[in-house]
Amino acid sequence: MAPTETLSRKIRWIFIVQGVIASLVVTLGTLYGSLVLRDILLKQRIVDEAQRTWELVDADPQAALPQSNSYARFFVPAGSMPDQVPPILRALPPGFHRTHDGIWRLAYISERAEGTIYLSVAPGLADHIVRWISILAVALSVLGIAIISWLGYRRCRRIVAPVAQLTDTVLAWDPRSPQLTRFDSPAHRGENTYEVAHLGDALASMSRRVEEYVDRERNFTRDASHELRTPVTVVRVAGDLLATENLSPRGERSLRRLRQATDDMEVLIDAFLVLARHPDVPVDSEDVSVQEVMHEEAANAREWLEDKPVNLVVLPTADPKIHAPPRVIGVIVSQLLRNACHFTEAGTVQIEVLADRVEVRDTGIGMDAETLSKAFDPFWRADLSDYTAKGMGLTLAQRLAERFGWKVLLESQPGQGTLATLRFS
């Protein structure tokens, strides 16, 4: 599995994104609010100036109106031409308007029976004040958001720290020698949240169950290697003694079945003992000559052919040496050979030893696509009439091969035979 981000890192990015978004919202909101506030202040200011101007006009209509750098005001009596009024203001109807003659201004036209007043105001100082107040507000808001986000992140990191510690403990945990106290450590409690406390208890309980399972597996492996082999040995010795007697043809057939069943039991015991071990527990291995093993298995497989007109041959194209338990390769090939001999009524069963694989090719009945797809399923049998087959042969062969990093492959066509391959890593 590819490495993923830690929970603390994800939370940090969440707070960073949240802070950035909040800062953008606050900045845009403040800028928009400052523009609205500036317009409100300017409009209120120009309305007050218009009222003051009307008071001056009422007092003396002929008097010159005061002017300034920020204000330009004009009065046009009713019926007179607004020649003294700048062209940009003349055509404007009563009310507020924005104008631009190098700098933007806010214009206000007030109309009464006496005439019309034209006012033009440059934002000037008010604009600068609002701008700097907005910048200050934005800076303080962003700083506040950053501080709050940082404090929130630190708080969340403290809350999830026990989860991170439990994760590290689980990754370092060895089921073969569990240390129960690590999951119950007070350091994992952190903020003493409900979830962390119960997660630690659940992991400690799981650790105890795994330890019990490992002990049972060890005991079974140890006991089975002795107890299961003992009765098989007794049966084999009894069969050898019976072979020295003069048996009837029927008795000889029964003895052959007894020996075959004994061989099958030994193969199953070897396979199950290997599979019962944990993958990290080493098994006794040595350099095995694959060619020698194939000759031994071929000799054993000839008994399965009985009186069939089938020629069993071994092609020693290569002689690779594989470091593995001595019986494992034999067990796998034995299962492949059993199927080849059982489903071949005439022709050839060929074992070819190559540098990186063993191929078992037969001229039997073959398999269609549906049968081939189920060949490795446990307890599935293509020939239901054979009560001696348990449907575990190919399944055991595949599981044993996977245990050592090998592969068992099948290629088959109905009526054209089957090619079974044991490919070494």
Side-chain angles (χ1 to χ4, degrees), residues 83-114:
D83 296 332
Q84 75 276 21
V85 179
I88 197 172
L89 300 177
R90 294 177 188 174
L92 297 178
F96 291 97
H97 307 276
R98 289 180 177 270
T99 64
H100 193 277
D101 56 354
I103 61 173
W104 82 270
R105 295 174 182 269
L106 184 63
Y108 179 64
I109 313 301
S110 178
E111 218 174 42
R112 291 186 182 179
E114 299 91 333

PDB file of all heavy atoms in Angstrom, residues 83-114:
ATOM      1  N   ASP A  83     -24.322  78.852 -17.708  1.00  0.00           N
ATOM      2  CA  ASP A  83     -23.059  79.006 -18.420  1.00  0.00           C
ATOM      3  C   ASP A  83     -21.848  78.778 -17.527  1.00  0.00           C
ATOM      4  O   ASP A  83     -20.798  78.298 -18.000  1.00  0.00           O
ATOM      5  CB  ASP A  83     -22.995  80.414 -19.035  1.00  0.00           C
ATOM      6  CG  ASP A  83     -24.082  80.613 -20.091  1.00  0.00           C
ATOM      7  OD1 ASP A  83     -24.481  79.574 -20.700  1.00  0.00           O
ATOM      8  OD2 ASP A  83     -24.514  81.752 -20.290  1.00  0.00           O
ATOM      9  N   GLN A  84     -21.940  79.188 -16.248  1.00  0.00           N
ATOM     10  CA  GLN A  84     -20.800  79.054 -15.356  1.00  0.00           C
ATOM     11  C   GLN A  84     -20.612  77.615 -14.842  1.00  0.00           C
ATOM     12  O   GLN A  84     -19.600  77.294 -14.221  1.00  0.00           O
ATOM     13  CB  GLN A  84     -20.939  80.015 -14.162  1.00  0.00           C
ATOM     14  CG  GLN A  84     -21.958  79.610 -13.096  1.00  0.00           C
ATOM     15  CD  GLN A  84     -23.386  80.026 -13.446  1.00  0.00           C
ATOM     16  OE1 GLN A  84     -23.666  80.263 -14.627  1.00  0.00           O
ATOM     17  NE2 GLN A  84     -24.241  80.163 -12.463  1.00  0.00           N
ATOM     18  N   VAL A  85     -21.584  76.775 -15.083  1.00  0.00           N
ATOM     19  CA  VAL A  85     -21.512  75.379 -14.614  1.00  0.00           C
ATOM     20  C   VAL A  85     -20.672  74.557 -15.602  1.00  0.00           C
ATOM     21  O   VAL A  85     -20.869  74.670 -16.815  1.00  0.00           O
ATOM     22  CB  VAL A  85     -22.922  74.779 -14.484  1.00  0.00           C
ATOM     23  CG1 VAL A  85     -22.838  73.318 -14.013  1.00  0.00           C
ATOM     24  CG2 VAL A  85     -23.773  75.599 -13.526  1.00  0.00           C
ATOM     25  N   PRO A  86     -19.706  73.727 -15.130  1.00  0.00           N
ATOM     26  CA  PRO A  86     -18.908  72.871 -16.023  1.00  0.00           C
ATOM     27  C   PRO A  86     -19.808  71.992 -16.887  1.00  0.00           C
ATOM     28  O   PRO A  86     -20.870  71.524 -16.425  1.00  0.00           O
ATOM     29  CB  PRO A  86     -18.057  72.028 -15.062  1.00  0.00           C
ATOM     30  CG  PRO A  86     -17.963  72.851 -13.821  1.00  0.00           C
ATOM     31  CD  PRO A  86     -19.272  73.567 -13.704  1.00  0.00           C
ATOM     32  N   PRO A  87     -19.438  71.773 -18.136  1.00  0.00           N
ATOM     33  CA  PRO A  87     -20.276  70.982 -19.051  1.00  0.00           C
ATOM     34  C   PRO A  87     -20.615  69.586 -18.512  1.00  0.00           C
ATOM     35  O   PRO A  87     -21.682  69.048 -18.807  1.00  0.00           O
ATOM     36  CB  PRO A  87     -19.423  70.892 -20.311  1.00  0.00           C
ATOM     37  CG  PRO A  87     -18.547  72.103 -20.250  1.00  0.00           C
ATOM     38  CD  PRO A  87     -18.239  72.318 -18.800  1.00  0.00           C
ATOM     39  N   ILE A  88     -19.696  68.999 -17.743  1.00  0.00           N
ATOM     40  CA  ILE A  88     -19.928  67.637 -17.255  1.00  0.00           C
ATOM     41  C   ILE A  88     -21.087  67.565 -16.283  1.00  0.00           C
ATOM     42  O   ILE A  88     -21.684  66.509 -16.065  1.00  0.00           O
ATOM     43  CB  ILE A  88     -18.630  67.092 -16.611  1.00  0.00           C
ATOM     44  CG1 ILE A  88     -18.708  65.549 -16.492  1.00  0.00           C
ATOM     45  CG2 ILE A  88     -18.399  67.730 -15.250  1.00  0.00           C
ATOM     46  CD1 ILE A  88     -17.419  64.919 -16.068  1.00  0.00           C
ATOM     47  N   LEU A  89     -21.450  68.739 -15.675  1.00  0.00           N
ATOM     48  CA  LEU A  89     -22.542  68.775 -14.702  1.00  0.00           C
ATOM     49  C   LEU A  89     -23.859  69.278 -15.286  1.00  0.00           C
ATOM     50  O   LEU A  89     -24.922  69.044 -14.706  1.00  0.00           O
ATOM     51  CB  LEU A  89     -22.164  69.656 -13.513  1.00  0.00           C
ATOM     52  CG  LEU A  89     -20.928  69.239 -12.700  1.00  0.00           C
ATOM     53  CD1 LEU A  89     -20.658  70.272 -11.600  1.00  0.00           C
ATOM     54  CD2 LEU A  89     -21.114  67.861 -12.095  1.00  0.00           C
ATOM     55  N   ARG A  90     -23.827  69.985 -16.410  1.00  0.00           N
ATOM     56  CA  ARG A  90     -25.023  70.666 -16.907  1.00  0.00           C
ATOM     57  C   ARG A  90     -26.170  69.712 -17.251  1.00  0.00           C
ATOM     58  O   ARG A  90     -27.334  70.002 -16.979  1.00  0.00           O
ATOM     59  CB  ARG A  90     -24.669  71.486 -18.163  1.00  0.00           C
ATOM     60  CG  ARG A  90     -23.745  72.637 -17.910  1.00  0.00           C
ATOM     61  CD  ARG A  90     -23.403  73.322 -19.228  1.00  0.00           C
ATOM     62  NE  ARG A  90     -22.350  74.322 -19.034  1.00  0.00           N
ATOM     63  CZ  ARG A  90     -21.771  74.984 -20.031  1.00  0.00           C
ATOM     64  NH1 ARG A  90     -22.131  74.710 -21.291  1.00  0.00           N
ATOM     65  NH2 ARG A  90     -20.828  75.875 -19.800  1.00  0.00           N
ATOM     66  N   ALA A  91     -25.853  68.622 -17.892  1.00  0.00           N
ATOM     67  CA  ALA A  91     -26.903  67.722 -18.397  1.00  0.00           C
ATOM     68  C   ALA A  91     -27.391  66.735 -17.352  1.00  0.00           C
ATOM     69  O   ALA A  91     -28.251  65.903 -17.653  1.00  0.00           O
ATOM     70  CB  ALA A  91     -26.385  66.967 -19.616  1.00  0.00           C
ATOM     71  N   LEU A  92     -26.843  66.788 -16.142  1.00  0.00           N
ATOM     72  CA  LEU A  92     -27.222  65.799 -15.135  1.00  0.00           C
ATOM     73  C   LEU A  92     -28.579  66.143 -14.538  1.00  0.00           C
ATOM     74  O   LEU A  92     -28.847  67.307 -14.205  1.00  0.00           O
ATOM     75  CB  LEU A  92     -26.170  65.738 -14.036  1.00  0.00           C
ATOM     76  CG  LEU A  92     -24.764  65.278 -14.474  1.00  0.00           C
ATOM     77  CD1 LEU A  92     -23.804  65.308 -13.289  1.00  0.00           C
ATOM     78  CD2 LEU A  92     -24.812  63.889 -15.081  1.00  0.00           C
ATOM     79  N   PRO A  93     -29.452  65.154 -14.349  1.00  0.00           N
ATOM     80  CA  PRO A  93     -30.742  65.394 -13.697  1.00  0.00           C
ATOM     81  C   PRO A  93     -30.554  65.504 -12.178  1.00  0.00           C
ATOM     82  O   PRO A  93     -29.482  65.205 -11.652  1.00  0.00           O
ATOM     83  CB  PRO A  93     -31.550  64.161 -14.079  1.00  0.00           C
ATOM     84  CG  PRO A  93     -30.531  63.094 -14.259  1.00  0.00           C
ATOM     85  CD  PRO A  93     -29.310  63.764 -14.819  1.00  0.00           C
ATOM     86  N   PRO A  94     -31.549  65.921 -11.442  1.00  0.00           N
ATOM     87  CA  PRO A  94     -31.443  66.011  -9.989  1.00  0.00           C
ATOM     88  C   PRO A  94     -31.107  64.652  -9.377  1.00  0.00           C
ATOM     89  O   PRO A  94     -31.546  63.608  -9.855  1.00  0.00           O
ATOM     90  CB  PRO A  94     -32.826  66.491  -9.557  1.00  0.00           C
ATOM     91  CG  PRO A  94     -33.364  67.208 -10.747  1.00  0.00           C
ATOM     92  CD  PRO A  94     -32.839  66.472 -11.931  1.00  0.00           C
ATOM     93  N   GLY A  95     -30.308  64.705  -8.309  1.00  0.00           N
ATOM     94  CA  GLY A  95     -29.910  63.483  -7.622  1.00  0.00           C
ATOM     95  C   GLY A  95     -28.401  63.320  -7.580  1.00  0.00           C
ATOM     96  O   GLY A  95     -27.642  64.239  -7.896  1.00  0.00           O
ATOM     97  N   PHE A  96     -27.948  62.130  -7.201  1.00  0.00           N
ATOM     98  CA  PHE A  96     -26.517  61.822  -7.060  1.00  0.00           C
ATOM     99  C   PHE A  96     -25.993  61.223  -8.353  1.00  0.00           C
ATOM    100  O   PHE A  96     -26.664  60.416  -9.001  1.00  0.00           O
ATOM    101  CB  PHE A  96     -26.282  60.851  -5.901  1.00  0.00           C
ATOM    102  CG  PHE A  96     -26.547  61.438  -4.542  1.00  0.00           C
ATOM    103  CD1 PHE A  96     -27.754  61.237  -3.893  1.00  0.00           C
ATOM    104  CD2 PHE A  96     -25.572  62.211  -3.922  1.00  0.00           C
ATOM    105  CE1 PHE A  96     -27.979  61.776  -2.648  1.00  0.00           C
ATOM    106  CE2 PHE A  96     -25.801  62.754  -2.671  1.00  0.00           C
ATOM    107  CZ  PHE A  96     -27.013  62.545  -2.021  1.00  0.00           C
ATOM    108  N   HIS A  97     -24.754  61.583  -8.687  1.00  0.00           N
ATOM    109  CA  HIS A  97     -24.119  61.071  -9.895  1.00  0.00           C
ATOM    110  C   HIS A  97     -22.610  60.967  -9.663  1.00  0.00           C
ATOM    111  O   HIS A  97     -22.044  61.705  -8.856  1.00  0.00           O
ATOM    112  CB  HIS A  97     -24.390  61.999 -11.098  1.00  0.00           C
ATOM    113  CG  HIS A  97     -25.836  62.281 -11.310  1.00  0.00           C
ATOM    114  ND1 HIS A  97     -26.671  61.440 -12.004  1.00  0.00           N
ATOM    115  CD2 HIS A  97     -26.611  63.335 -10.899  1.00  0.00           C
ATOM    116  CE1 HIS A  97     -27.885  61.948 -12.029  1.00  0.00           C
ATOM    117  NE2 HIS A  97     -27.870  63.103 -11.362  1.00  0.00           N
ATOM    118  N   ARG A  98     -21.987  60.043 -10.403  1.00  0.00           N
ATOM    119  CA  ARG A  98     -20.520  59.936 -10.378  1.00  0.00           C
ATOM    120  C   ARG A  98     -19.972  60.545 -11.662  1.00  0.00           C
ATOM    121  O   ARG A  98     -20.464  60.241 -12.749  1.00  0.00           O
ATOM    122  CB  ARG A  98     -20.075  58.478 -10.266  1.00  0.00           C
ATOM    123  CG  ARG A  98     -20.346  57.849  -8.908  1.00  0.00           C
ATOM    124  CD  ARG A  98     -19.871  56.402  -8.880  1.00  0.00           C
ATOM    125  NE  ARG A  98     -20.059  55.818  -7.565  1.00  0.00           N
ATOM    126  CZ  ARG A  98     -19.162  55.848  -6.570  1.00  0.00           C
ATOM    127  NH1 ARG A  98     -18.010  56.468  -6.785  1.00  0.00           N
ATOM    128  NH2 ARG A  98     -19.411  55.303  -5.414  1.00  0.00           N
ATOM    129  N   THR A  99     -18.939  61.341 -11.518  1.00  0.00           N
ATOM    130  CA  THR A  99     -18.297  61.963 -12.674  1.00  0.00           C
ATOM    131  C   THR A  99     -16.801  61.711 -12.613  1.00  0.00           C
ATOM    132  O   THR A  99     -16.261  61.343 -11.561  1.00  0.00           O
ATOM    133  CB  THR A  99     -18.567  63.477 -12.696  1.00  0.00           C
ATOM    134  OG1 THR A  99     -17.971  64.083 -11.543  1.00  0.00           O
ATOM    135  CG2 THR A  99     -20.061  63.775 -12.715  1.00  0.00           C
ATOM    136  N   HIS A 100     -16.148  61.931 -13.765  1.00  0.00           N
ATOM    137  CA  HIS A 100     -14.699  61.715 -13.818  1.00  0.00           C
ATOM    138  C   HIS A 100     -14.087  62.728 -14.778  1.00  0.00           C
ATOM    139  O   HIS A 100     -14.379  62.723 -15.975  1.00  0.00           O
ATOM    140  CB  HIS A 100     -14.400  60.292 -14.286  1.00  0.00           C
ATOM    141  CG  HIS A 100     -12.963  59.897 -14.080  1.00  0.00           C
ATOM    142  ND1 HIS A 100     -11.978  60.231 -14.970  1.00  0.00           N
ATOM    143  CD2 HIS A 100     -12.355  59.214 -13.074  1.00  0.00           C
ATOM    144  CE1 HIS A 100     -10.826  59.763 -14.540  1.00  0.00           C
ATOM    145  NE2 HIS A 100     -11.021  59.133 -13.378  1.00  0.00           N
ATOM    146  N   ASP A 101     -13.260  63.597 -14.224  1.00  0.00           N
ATOM    147  CA  ASP A 101     -12.540  64.569 -15.043  1.00  0.00           C
ATOM    148  C   ASP A 101     -11.056  64.567 -14.691  1.00  0.00           C
ATOM    149  O   ASP A 101     -10.446  65.582 -14.432  1.00  0.00           O
ATOM    150  CB  ASP A 101     -13.126  65.976 -14.837  1.00  0.00           C
ATOM    151  CG  ASP A 101     -13.110  66.386 -13.370  1.00  0.00           C
ATOM    152  OD1 ASP A 101     -12.753  65.518 -12.520  1.00  0.00           O
ATOM    153  OD2 ASP A 101     -13.409  67.559 -13.071  1.00  0.00           O
ATOM    154  N   GLY A 102     -10.500  63.399 -14.676  1.00  0.00           N
ATOM    155  CA  GLY A 102      -9.123  63.203 -14.201  1.00  0.00           C
ATOM    156  C   GLY A 102      -9.106  62.502 -12.875  1.00  0.00           C
ATOM    157  O   GLY A 102      -8.276  61.639 -12.614  1.00  0.00           O
ATOM    158  N   ILE A 103     -10.012  62.901 -11.987  1.00  0.00           N
ATOM    159  CA  ILE A 103     -10.250  62.189 -10.737  1.00  0.00           C
ATOM    160  C   ILE A 103     -11.759  62.002 -10.632  1.00  0.00           C
ATOM    161  O   ILE A 103     -12.550  62.772 -11.170  1.00  0.00           O
ATOM    162  CB  ILE A 103      -9.712  62.961  -9.516  1.00  0.00           C
ATOM    163  CG1 ILE A 103     -10.410  64.324  -9.395  1.00  0.00           C
ATOM    164  CG2 ILE A 103      -8.209  63.099  -9.583  1.00  0.00           C
ATOM    165  CD1 ILE A 103     -10.040  65.062  -8.124  1.00  0.00           C
ATOM    166  N   TRP A 104     -12.169  60.975  -9.927  1.00  0.00           N
ATOM    167  CA  TRP A 104     -13.607  60.741  -9.839  1.00  0.00           C
ATOM    168  C   TRP A 104     -14.182  61.620  -8.727  1.00  0.00           C
ATOM    169  O   TRP A 104     -13.562  61.887  -7.716  1.00  0.00           O
ATOM    170  CB  TRP A 104     -13.910  59.260  -9.616  1.00  0.00           C
ATOM    171  CG  TRP A 104     -13.791  58.787  -8.175  1.00  0.00           C
ATOM    172  CD1 TRP A 104     -12.694  58.291  -7.569  1.00  0.00           C
ATOM    173  CD2 TRP A 104     -14.840  58.813  -7.202  1.00  0.00           C
ATOM    174  NE1 TRP A 104     -12.951  57.986  -6.276  1.00  0.00           N
ATOM    175  CE2 TRP A 104     -14.282  58.280  -6.005  1.00  0.00           C
ATOM    176  CE3 TRP A 104     -16.173  59.209  -7.205  1.00  0.00           C
ATOM    177  CZ2 TRP A 104     -15.011  58.154  -4.844  1.00  0.00           C
ATOM    178  CZ3 TRP A 104     -16.910  59.082  -6.046  1.00  0.00           C
ATOM    179  CH2 TRP A 104     -16.334  58.554  -4.876  1.00  0.00           C
ATOM    180  N   ARG A 105     -15.409  62.097  -8.989  1.00  0.00           N
ATOM    181  CA  ARG A 105     -16.093  62.963  -8.047  1.00  0.00           C
ATOM    182  C   ARG A 105     -17.526  62.472  -7.887  1.00  0.00           C
ATOM    183  O   ARG A 105     -18.065  61.787  -8.748  1.00  0.00           O
ATOM    184  CB  ARG A 105     -16.108  64.423  -8.535  1.00  0.00           C
ATOM    185  CG  ARG A 105     -14.738  65.071  -8.621  1.00  0.00           C
ATOM    186  CD  ARG A 105     -14.836  66.458  -9.260  1.00  0.00           C
ATOM    187  NE  ARG A 105     -13.532  67.088  -9.387  1.00  0.00           N
ATOM    188  CZ  ARG A 105     -12.992  67.875  -8.448  1.00  0.00           C
ATOM    189  NH1 ARG A 105     -13.670  68.125  -7.318  1.00  0.00           N
ATOM    190  NH2 ARG A 105     -11.808  68.420  -8.627  1.00  0.00           N
ATOM    191  N   LEU A 106     -18.157  62.911  -6.780  1.00  0.00           N
ATOM    192  CA  LEU A 106     -19.564  62.645  -6.541  1.00  0.00           C
ATOM    193  C   LEU A 106     -20.326  63.955  -6.728  1.00  0.00           C
ATOM    194  O   LEU A 106     -20.048  64.950  -6.048  1.00  0.00           O
ATOM    195  CB  LEU A 106     -19.788  62.104  -5.122  1.00  0.00           C
ATOM    196  CG  LEU A 106     -21.231  61.689  -4.781  1.00  0.00           C
ATOM    197  CD1 LEU A 106     -21.682  60.534  -5.670  1.00  0.00           C
ATOM    198  CD2 LEU A 106     -21.336  61.291  -3.311  1.00  0.00           C
ATOM    199  N   ALA A 107     -21.260  63.948  -7.683  1.00  0.00           N
ATOM    200  CA  ALA A 107     -22.026  65.167  -7.995  1.00  0.00           C
ATOM    201  C   ALA A 107     -23.437  65.044  -7.425  1.00  0.00           C
ATOM    202  O   ALA A 107     -24.009  63.941  -7.377  1.00  0.00           O
ATOM    203  CB  ALA A 107     -22.080  65.384  -9.494  1.00  0.00           C
ATOM    204  N   TYR A 108     -23.971  66.208  -7.011  1.00  0.00           N
ATOM    205  CA  TYR A 108     -25.324  66.231  -6.467  1.00  0.00           C
ATOM    206  C   TYR A 108     -26.046  67.437  -7.052  1.00  0.00           C
ATOM    207  O   TYR A 108     -25.566  68.575  -6.970  1.00  0.00           O
ATOM    208  CB  TYR A 108     -25.294  66.316  -4.945  1.00  0.00           C
ATOM    209  CG  TYR A 108     -26.660  66.369  -4.309  1.00  0.00           C
ATOM    210  CD1 TYR A 108     -27.545  65.294  -4.412  1.00  0.00           C
ATOM    211  CD2 TYR A 108     -27.068  67.499  -3.593  1.00  0.00           C
ATOM    212  CE1 TYR A 108     -28.802  65.350  -3.823  1.00  0.00           C
ATOM    213  CE2 TYR A 108     -28.322  67.550  -2.999  1.00  0.00           C
ATOM    214  CZ  TYR A 108     -29.187  66.479  -3.119  1.00  0.00           C
ATOM    215  OH  TYR A 108     -30.428  66.546  -2.542  1.00  0.00           O
ATOM    216  N   ILE A 109     -27.196  67.196  -7.647  1.00  0.00           N
ATOM    217  CA  ILE A 109     -28.003  68.254  -8.262  1.00  0.00           C
ATOM    218  C   ILE A 109     -29.276  68.412  -7.431  1.00  0.00           C
ATOM    219  O   ILE A 109     -30.034  67.432  -7.264  1.00  0.00           O
ATOM    220  CB  ILE A 109     -28.358  67.925  -9.716  1.00  0.00           C
ATOM    221  CG1 ILE A 109     -27.104  67.427 -10.486  1.00  0.00           C
ATOM    222  CG2 ILE A 109     -28.986  69.129 -10.392  1.00  0.00           C
ATOM    223  CD1 ILE A 109     -25.983  68.424 -10.517  1.00  0.00           C
ATOM    224  N   SER A 110     -29.491  69.627  -6.903  1.00  0.00           N
ATOM    225  CA  SER A 110     -30.677  69.913  -6.088  1.00  0.00           C
ATOM    226  C   SER A 110     -31.484  71.023  -6.772  1.00  0.00           C
ATOM    227  O   SER A 110     -30.952  72.091  -7.079  1.00  0.00           O
ATOM    228  CB  SER A 110     -30.278  70.347  -4.673  1.00  0.00           C
ATOM    229  OG  SER A 110     -31.411  70.676  -3.900  1.00  0.00           O
ATOM    230  N   GLU A 111     -32.743  70.739  -6.991  1.00  0.00           N
ATOM    231  CA  GLU A 111     -33.582  71.663  -7.739  1.00  0.00           C
ATOM    232  C   GLU A 111     -34.741  72.167  -6.851  1.00  0.00           C
ATOM    233  O   GLU A 111     -35.381  71.383  -6.148  1.00  0.00           O
ATOM    234  CB  GLU A 111     -34.160  70.959  -8.979  1.00  0.00           C
ATOM    235  CG  GLU A 111     -34.249  71.835 -10.208  1.00  0.00           C
ATOM    236  CD  GLU A 111     -34.686  71.045 -11.427  1.00  0.00           C
ATOM    237  OE1 GLU A 111     -35.598  70.219 -11.286  1.00  0.00           O
ATOM    238  OE2 GLU A 111     -34.090  71.246 -12.491  1.00  0.00           O
ATOM    239  N   ARG A 112     -34.974  73.543  -6.869  1.00  0.00           N
ATOM    240  CA  ARG A 112     -36.109  74.167  -6.175  1.00  0.00           C
ATOM    241  C   ARG A 112     -36.736  75.214  -7.107  1.00  0.00           C
ATOM    242  O   ARG A 112     -36.243  75.447  -8.228  1.00  0.00           O
ATOM    243  CB  ARG A 112     -35.666  74.817  -4.875  1.00  0.00           C
ATOM    244  CG  ARG A 112     -35.249  73.840  -3.785  1.00  0.00           C
ATOM    245  CD  ARG A 112     -34.961  74.580  -2.486  1.00  0.00           C
ATOM    246  NE  ARG A 112     -34.520  73.664  -1.448  1.00  0.00           N
ATOM    247  CZ  ARG A 112     -34.185  74.038  -0.211  1.00  0.00           C
ATOM    248  NH1 ARG A 112     -34.232  75.346   0.102  1.00  0.00           N
ATOM    249  NH2 ARG A 112     -33.804  73.164   0.691  1.00  0.00           N
ATOM    250  N   ALA A 113     -37.760  75.846  -6.597  1.00  0.00           N
ATOM    251  CA  ALA A 113     -38.423  76.882  -7.414  1.00  0.00           C
ATOM    252  C   ALA A 113     -37.494  78.051  -7.694  1.00  0.00           C
ATOM    253  O   ALA A 113     -37.564  78.682  -8.761  1.00  0.00           O
ATOM    254  CB  ALA A 113     -39.697  77.365  -6.712  1.00  0.00           C
ATOM    255  N   GLU A 114     -36.599  78.344  -6.758  1.00  0.00           N
ATOM    256  CA  GLU A 114     -35.687  79.465  -6.934  1.00  0.00           C
ATOM    257  C   GLU A 114     -34.641  79.194  -8.018  1.00  0.00           C
ATOM    258  O   GLU A 114     -34.056  80.130  -8.587  1.00  0.00           O
ATOM    259  CB  GLU A 114     -34.976  79.802  -5.625  1.00  0.00           C
ATOM    260  CG  GLU A 114     -35.925  80.217  -4.493  1.00  0.00           C
ATOM    261  CD  GLU A 114     -36.349  79.024  -3.660  1.00  0.00           C
ATOM    262  OE1 GLU A 114     -36.353  77.870  -4.227  1.00  0.00           O
ATOM    263  OE2 GLU A 114     -36.672  79.184  -2.473  1.00  0.00           O
TER     264      GLU A 114
END
